[in-house]
Amino acid sequence: MNKVIFNQHYRRLLFLALATALACMHAACKKEVTEGAPVITAVRNYAPSPADTLVSDITTGQWVVLIGHNLKNAVQISFNGIPATINSVMFSDTSATVLVPAVIPFPSVSAEDLNTIRYVTQQGATTFTFGIVAPPPTVASISNENANEGDSVYIYGLNLFFINEVTFAGTQITNYATASDGTSIGFVLPALTQSGPVVVTTKSGKASTPFNVNDATTGVLCDFDKINTFNWGTGVDNSSVNFPGNRGNYAVLSNGILPAGDGTWWDWQRSINTNDVQWVPADSLSLPLDEYALKFEISVPAAWTGTSIYVIKGYAFDYMARYEPWQGTNGAVSPFTTKGWHTVTIPLSMFRSNDGRGSAAASLTGLLGATGNGAVNIQTKNFSALPSASGLKAAIDNIRVVKIK
């Protein structure tokens, strides 16, 4: 009797052991399926309209959704060999939302990387062949919009490669150099005969600035020469020794090392104050704020750190735009100089409350008033709680407001 009971108990234990082993094997197989190497099967559009649309090709700076399996735990995603920024919140096992890098150096992409999406997870990697095309060029800025013949000029933007033609103020530029990543074009400026836009034509399309370069009149509020609404403030000079490459008269902002919080702008060397002048045509004041920008040329021959140049309208500090080119990201500081003259562009949407760190005005009239008329005040201050790291000596010319969109 005892032997029979023992055998029955033994058989029950053996059955439980076998069942547990089978369950573990099943779990292991299931884990292997869900955590295997990634697979991409399709790419769809991320934009809300048209939503969920599969695409046949993609371009730089585009949000896309990669469809497939085992897409969790991505450690790298690259397009044409260029890594994208990974945001783990936007991944699931069957999809991954990712931004295609804004800069892809198409001319230097190797044949094996061309038109590929490389997806790497902790469990493996896959390469998916897919069309990645160069978009039309964009022009973001010009190093000096009012340069002289023989000056070095740079056009900055994106996708500035596979170039067919470059024109500057209507003059074709035939000798130029391009950055390998398509972010700039450099050349020595030939003689110009007129004003006009900058136009870059590539195999992918055309980009044209909405404003003219080599333009001494459009939107100019003060040039310290013919269009001279200068009222009072710092001195005016025309020396080509102190600030080479000038076009006639210019104003000079100058101060030494400033104590913490020093904002005595009324020191005559530390401010440029014009007479009242029309910032934006009265019939354009209903346009969006970000369609206009204040511009001027600046020359800074010696290292500048700490002193801030700021712009306000009509001596009112409700809205302020701060120009601090020495200020880097995450609090980093790098002394700033220019080689000759450099164009500064401050969109009117960058005029902010709270000493330039708050909110933008809701409209052009909110910033400029009902008439859009008033003085331009360009002044200096040390906003820091410490003495400024250096003084400032900078020439400023061709103060203007122009349409940028």
Side-chain angles (χ1 to χ4, degrees), residues 374-400:
V376 180
N377 309 113
I378 301 178
Q379 303 166 349
T380 72
K381 180 177 180 177
N382 176 17
F383 287 92
S384 172
L386 299 172
S388 62
S390 77
L392 168 68
K393 190 166 186 179
I396 288 180
D397 201 1
N398 307 318
I399 304 168
R400 58 198 185 274

Side-chain angles (χ1 to χ4, degrees), residues 13-354:
L13 291 175
L14 182 60
F15 176 80
L16 289 172
L18 289 172
T20 301
L22 287 172
C24 290
M25 290 174 63
H26 177 72
C29 291
K30 184 177 181 181
K31 182 177 181 181
E32 183 179 347
V33 170
T34 58
E35 295 188 3
V39 176
I40 298 174
T41 58
V43 181
R44 69 172 175 82
N45 188 33
Y46 179 70
S49 178
D52 298 326
T53 302
L54 294 179
V55 293
S56 58
D57 57 54
I58 55 178
T59 191
T60 58
Q62 178 182 353
W63 282 97
V64 296
V65 180
L66 308 180
I67 306 298
H69 306 288
N70 307 319
L71 300 180
K72 282 186 176 180
N73 304 318
V75 295
Q76 187 181 78
I77 305 172
S78 60
F79 297 82
N80 277 10
I82 305 301
T85 300
I86 294 178
N87 183 348
S88 60
V89 177
M90 306 177 78
F91 291 77
S92 72
D93 186 61
T94 57
S95 68
T97 302
V98 63
L99 179 65
V100 182
V103 176
I104 295 179
F106 284 89
S108 60
V109 173
S110 66
E112 63 181 12
D113 286 331
L114 192 64
N115 294 321
T116 62
I117 302 173
R118 177 79 171 165
Y119 201 103
V120 183
T121 69
Q122 296 173 354
Q123 285 70 42
T126 188
T127 299
F128 186 64
T129 300
F130 198 79
I132 304 174
V133 299
T138 61
V139 174
S141 63
I142 317 297
S143 62
N144 186 356
E145 296 175 10
N146 287 295
N148 296 310
E149 179 183 356
D151 289 345
S152 294
V153 175
Y154 292 87
I155 301 169
Y156 297 104
L158 293 174
N159 308 306
L160 302 174
F161 37 61
F162 303 135
I163 293 173
N164 292 330
E165 185 179 60
V166 178
T167 61
F168 191 95
T171 296
Q172 185 174 356
I173 307 300
T174 57
N175 188 12
Y176 53 82
T178 60
S180 60
D181 61 0
T183 58
S184 68
I185 303 170
F187 53 91
V188 175
L189 190 68
L192 303 177
T193 59
Q194 61 186 17
S195 64
V198 171
V199 182
V200 179
T201 306
T202 73
K203 292 180 180 179
S204 302
K206 178 186 290 187
S208 179
T209 58
F211 55 86
N212 289 340
V213 295
N214 194 42
D215 188 343
T217 57
T218 302
V220 175
L221 309 184
C222 178
D223 66 358
F224 307 100
D225 291 300
K226 297 177 181 178
I227 306 173
N228 188 358
T229 57
F230 183 60
N231 189 339
W232 68 277
T234 190
V236 174
D237 199 353
N238 62 5
S239 170
S240 297
V241 175
N242 296 332
F243 296 95
N246 63 303
R247 285 188 171 188
N249 292 329
Y250 51 80
V252 181
L253 293 174
S254 179
N255 60 253
I257 292 176
L258 299 177
D262 187 330
T264 54
W265 58 266
W266 49 88
D267 180 331
W268 69 276
Q269 292 182 305
R270 292 177 54 182
S271 66
I272 300 167
N273 305 288
T274 73
N275 292 311
D276 286 354
V277 64
Q278 192 70 30
W279 285 51
V280 171
D283 60 0
S284 298
L285 288 171
S286 60
L287 295 176
L289 183 72
D290 62 357
E291 291 196 6
Y292 282 89
L294 182 135
K295 297 190 178 193
F296 53 84
E297 270 70 60
I298 193 169
S299 177
V300 185
W304 163 31
T305 306
T307 298
S308 299
I309 294 176
Y310 65 87
V311 186
I312 57 176
K313 174 185 174 287
Y315 301 95
F317 287 81
D318 297 337
Y319 295 100
M320 171 190 295
R322 286 162 63 164
Y323 177 60
E324 300 163 328
W326 42 266
Q327 187 76 265
T329 57
N330 300 320
V333 172
S334 179
F336 178 80
T337 60
T338 64
K339 295 181 67 175
W341 292 79
H342 171 81
T343 297
V344 176
T345 300
I346 305 175
L348 295 191
S349 57
M350 294 306 296
F351 281 72
R352 304 294 179 97
S353 61
N354 192 28

